[in-house]
Amino acid sequence: MCGIVGYVGRRNASDVLIDGLKRLEYRGYDSAGLALRTGDGLIILKEVGKVADLERMLEEISPCSTQGIGHTRWATHGGVTQVNAHPHRDGSGKFAIVHNGIVENYMELKEELEREGVEFLSETDTEVVVHLIATSFSQTGDILETLVNLQGRLRGSFALVVIQQDLPDRIYCVRKGSPLVLGSGDGESFCASDVPAFLPYTRKIQYLEEGDIAEISLGGIRVWDENGCPVEKTVFTVDWDVSMTEKSGFSHFMLKEIHEQGMVLRSTLKGRIADGRTAVDQELGWDAEMASKWDKVHLVACGTSYYSALVAERVLEKWTDLEIKVDVASEYRYRHIKCDPSTLAVFVSQSGETADTLAAQRKARADGAHCLAITNVRGSTLAREVHSVMLLKAGPEIGVAATKTFTGQMAALFLVALQLGRLRGTLPSDEEERLISELIHIPYKVELLLERENEVMELAKRYASKSNFLFIGRGISFPIALEGALKLKEISYIHAEAYAAGEMKHGPIALLEPDLPVLAVIPRDGLYEKTLSNIQEAKARNAPLIAVCTEGDTIIPQHVESVIEIPWTDEEFTPFLSVVPLQFLAFHIALLKGREIDQPRNLAKSVTVE
Ligand code: M6R
């Protein structure tokens, strides 16, 4: 986790760094700091709290500098204190570094350095790195050699940015296991954990490979591999623009992102459907012969992305003859699930940087599986390591709670499922055509729902004081119950559990009482009557009931306290609609409770450590 940013150019570095850190704050927000190179030495400022607190500190001294590095922290090693905040410096005060990742062997390195007389100020793993760099540089006098040597000493994951007082107009980066992208402008260069940090200044970016070392300077960017050999990098132009990283009149990024879901669906489907069938052959690089070699699909992800995989599982089972397995990446990577060249392994990750998902992918790849990434970030580690990629085209998601990318993931996974159904001959073409004709209407139906935010806002007032919630759903609505409960937990801090409705009798029913609202996701589908029975069971135990049901349903309102209606659609597509009111409900309850919605406590957007 953590966000890092570096700048060399002619602008006021502290303005660029503070702006960049604010754009990266979704990655970590317990403390922030920066190091600026000035004619009088390095100035290091750090503060516990938000980037805004650091900004206030800066206003008092207004340093003059055009070269610096910054960091916003999500604590792993060492508490949330000013001393533990980055940047960290060496004993001479000439080197300062910021780090994202974990140095696994920091204890042994620390003991070694202490034996050599190095004094440590912080409890972090990062501080060993700056001392190692300073010690090595004092021997070699060569920063490239120092950074090549450094990589041989460190175990774990790291994106590092290094500034040195005697190296004017340039800073150095090392990337291994944690994300770092470079940006080139006119007479200025940038590096950051994520593109939005420097999007106001440039859209020209370069991605670093594992072990790469980069120098970013006034004159441009130079890159070497882990052995110190120069490498040529391709410069990409990102199609994100800066307005995508702003709130555009909404009070919160999360609210903006919920409202973008119609657009996200349209852009994710655009160009991928033609003549009533999917048109993703080239993008995925699959043909019927290849698809006939697979007999199973593994879907692997974390958090919300995992719930989109659970939705996909249900349509893959229906449209293909493949054996489907879904698991959270943190389990999958350590299990002994049979994975071989007859496996299509699908990894779903908004960021493409989630540590467990990356590790799971590497394992499946080593086992011979064909790996597909469903991700929102072109150039992310996951996107670069797999055999095939399908991008969400959701634009940057800044709110820590995933919303529009969940919708985008489901759309991308549905395209993959339809494609597999056709390639394997298990989905007749008239059925594919029928499904696609409904799929292309989903963005409009989502937009109709978005107009009904006020209804959910009223509902939120009724239930915001509750301490616990139970979400239930069956079939394809079960993952939506899980996602609804996760959204509520994440941003309102209300305890919420989700169960497959049929499981209620096997335990959770004991919880039911008049103070426990039960939210049932019950669209008009094949399991409607079954879920209705579960609603009645809850009603008989005096639990207040809320139902997300299909508009025009006259039965459900007779049994529940509150109803949220969604437009009619085919059973398979109901998740695209039923999730929207649950996102709004979580948002408005959190708002009423005064929570920090875009940056909930203890969370970070990208979980880049295990
Ligand atoms: O970037 P990823 O999709 O791999 O992230 C996975 C989870 O960390 C993420 O979905 C998390 O659960 C969100 N906070 C959900 O809102």
Side-chain angles (χ1 to χ4, degrees):
M1 342 257 224
C2 304
I4 59 183
V5 60
Y7 175 71
V8 182
R10 296 193 180 87
R11 299 173 202 260
N12 183 344
S14 53
D15 291 346
V16 177
L17 295 175
I18 290 288
D19 184 39
L21 289 180
K22 283 185 177 165
R23 290 170 191 279
L24 291 180
E25 214 167 11
Y26 65 87
R27 301 179 67 87
Y29 33 84
D30 58 41
S31 43
L34 42 82
L36 300 163
R37 185 180 171 278
T38 72
D40 299 327
L42 292 183
I43 296 180
I44 297 182
L45 293 169
K46 332 183 193 189
E47 189 60 299
V48 168
K50 298 283 175 122
V51 176
D53 299 310
L54 178 68
E55 191 176 19
R56 273 189 288 278
M57 206 175 175
L58 257 174
E59 277 161 14
E60 287 166 24
I61 54 167
S62 313
C64 183
S65 167
T66 55
Q67 179 185 349
I69 60 177
H71 188 270
T72 176
R73 182 170 187 240
W74 189 91
T76 54
H77 293 63
V80 181
T81 63
Q82 196 184 33
V83 172
N84 288 336
H86 299 213
H88 291 281
R89 63 172 184 77
D90 72 313
S92 73
K94 286 200 167 190
F95 275 100
I97 67 162
V98 289
H99 168 216
N100 172 26
I102 288 185
V103 179
E104 288 165 1
N105 56 334
Y106 86 102
M107 284 303 288
E108 62 191 69
L109 293 170
K110 189 171 178 177
E111 281 166 18
E112 176 190 314
L113 287 160
E114 279 175 335
R115 280 197 298 276
E116 289 167 12
V118 173
E119 279 182 33
F120 281 80
L121 302 175
S122 75
E123 303 153 328
T124 64
D125 53 337
T126 304
E127 199 184 341
V128 299
V129 182
V130 72
H131 292 303
L132 283 177
I133 292 174
T135 311
S136 168
F137 187 74
S138 68
Q139 290 155 3
T140 63
D142 183 310
I143 188 70
L144 182 59
E145 192 179 337
T146 295
L147 296 177
V148 169
N149 293 342
L150 176 75
Q151 297 201 52
R153 306 290 328 266
L154 303 181
R155 268 203 324 270
S157 64
F158 42 89
L160 297 165
V161 188
V162 184
I163 191 167
Q164 212 267 7
Q165 179 56 28
D166 301 331
L167 299 173
D169 299 327
R170 53 195 190 271
I171 58 183
Y172 290 86
C173 312
V174 187
R175 178 194 180 278
K176 201 170 207 170
S178 297
L180 198 60
V181 283
L182 312 178
S184 28
D186 188 10
E188 57 186 353
S189 303
F190 308 80
C191 63
S193 305
D194 200 356
V195 175
F198 51 71
L199 214 43
Y201 315 103
T202 184
R203 289 168 55 198
K204 291 204 177 91
I205 62 163
Q206 297 177 34
Y207 297 108
L208 292 178
E209 301 299 326
E210 288 290 278
D212 278 355
I213 299 166
E215 176 194 78
I216 70 163
S217 69
L218 281 179
I221 293 174
R222 291 198 293 166
V223 182
W224 299 266
D225 67 14
E226 60 189 330
N227 302 313
C229 302
V231 282
E232 279 300 315
K233 288 275 155 194
T234 310
V235 178
F236 294 90
T237 303
V238 280
D239 52 9
W240 292 358
D241 71 59
V242 74
S243 68
M244 290 170 150
T245 63
E246 281 157 5
K247 287 185 196 153
S248 312
F250 285 93
S251 60
H252 295 78
F253 281 111
M254 181 179 176
L255 191 59
K256 177 190 173 213
E257 288 155 4
I258 293 173
H259 278 274
E260 284 174 345
Q261 290 178 108
M263 179 273 287
V264 167
L265 283 172
R266 247 181 236 108
S267 40
T268 303
L269 297 178
K270 193 174 162 201
R272 288 169 165 159
I273 287 174
D275 304 326
R277 48 182 277 183
T278 54
V280 290
D281 309 60
Q282 280 198 344
E283 184 176 4
L284 293 174
W286 301 347
D287 57 24
E289 194 196 334
M290 201 167 164
S292 71
K293 293 193 178 125
W294 299 321
D295 57 22
K296 52 190 172 296
V297 179
H298 291 177
L299 291 147
V300 185
C302 301
T304 289
S305 302
Y306 168 65
Y307 298 146
S308 76
L310 287 178
V311 172
E313 176 186 32
R314 283 148 174 88
V315 292
L316 276 161
E317 281 166 356
K318 206 163 174 178
W319 300 339
T320 76
D321 55 348
L322 293 154
E323 187 190 316
I324 319 293
K325 248 191 181 54
V326 190
D327 207 350
V328 288
S330 54
E331 288 295 313
Y332 181 88
R333 61 183 288 191
Y334 296 116
R335 288 177 67 185
H336 301 280
I337 297 177
K338 191 163 179 270
C339 179
D340 53 30
S342 65
T343 312
L344 168 65
V346 183
F347 299 88
V348 190
S349 172
Q350 183 284 129
S351 60
E353 300 293 349
T354 300
D356 283 320
T357 309
L358 293 177
Q361 189 276 141
R362 287 170 191 149
K363 180 178 178 239
R365 196 183 163 105
D367 287 341
H370 179 91
C371 295
L372 164 69
I374 305 287
T375 181
N376 195 32
V377 184
R378 185 192 295 276
S380 59
T381 306
L382 184 66
R384 283 178 298 124
E385 290 188 4
V386 289
H387 302 102
S388 317
V389 182
M390 184 173 277
L391 289 172
L392 308 185
K393 308 202 175 163
E397 186 176 68
I398 313 278
V400 164
T403 51
K404 64 174 179 175
T405 54
F406 177 69
T407 311
Q409 285 166 347
M410 289 193 294
L413 286 163
F414 273 46
L415 291 172
V416 170
L418 289 166
Q419 176 79 355
L420 280 171
R422 176 152 40 77
L423 290 178
R424 292 181 65 86
T426 48
L427 184 67
S429 55
D430 54 344
E431 179 62 358
E432 181 181 8
E433 204 168 317
R434 190 189 68 75
L435 289 165
I436 283 193
S437 69
E438 180 57 16
L439 180 58
I440 57 179
H441 284 97
I442 296 297
Y444 302 99
K445 294 188 177 180
V446 166
E447 276 158 1
L448 286 176
L449 254 179
L450 292 170
E451 285 170 18
R452 292 162 65 173
E453 180 182 353
N454 283 350
E455 292 171 29
V456 187
M457 200 190 297
E458 289 308 311
L459 212 71
K461 289 181 192 157
R462 192 165 179 177
Y463 297 100
S465 63
K466 302 292 180 193
S467 311
N468 300 288
F469 270 78
L470 183 63
F471 287 68
I472 56 170
R474 276 179 188 257
I476 206 154
S477 294
F478 171 45
I480 300 306
L482 288 163
E483 172 61 4
L486 178 64
K487 287 288 91 85
L488 190 63
K489 276 185 270 215
E490 278 188 295
I491 60 168
S492 74
Y493 317 148
I494 291 176
H495 170 237
E497 291 203 42
Y499 271 88
E503 276 291 293
M504 211 167 62
K505 281 201 267 310
H506 301 283
I509 200 162
L511 294 170
L512 299 189
E513 43 105 1
D515 212 31
L516 178 78
V518 176
L519 190 150
V521 185
I522 177 168
R524 265 273 176 207
D525 62 14
L527 295 169
Y528 173 84
E529 283 170 8
K530 304 280 177 199
T531 313
L532 183 57
S533 302
N534 301 123
I535 285 181
Q536 278 157 340
E537 287 155 13
K539 188 181 172 194
R541 281 146 190 99
N542 300 318
L545 277 148
I546 310 163
V548 174
C549 62
T550 307
E551 61 193 7
D553 188 323
T554 52
I555 299 168
I556 298 293
Q558 297 171 32
H559 297 282
V560 302
E561 202 175 84
S562 310
V563 163
I564 312 171
E565 291 189 336
I566 57 170
W568 180 89
T569 184
D570 283 325
E571 176 166 334
E572 293 88 341
F573 302 116
T574 55
F576 291 98
L577 305 179
S578 52
V579 75
V580 175
L582 303 191
Q583 295 167 341
F584 275 141
L585 186 67
F587 176 85
H588 284 289
I589 289 182
L591 194 64
L592 289 166
K593 293 179 89 68
R595 305 301 192 212
E596 284 232 43
I597 295 177
D598 284 334
Q599 293 168 355
R601 69 184 181 203
N602 305 335
L603 291 176
K605 183 85 182 154
S606 303
V607 183
T608 55
V609 292
E610 186 176 354

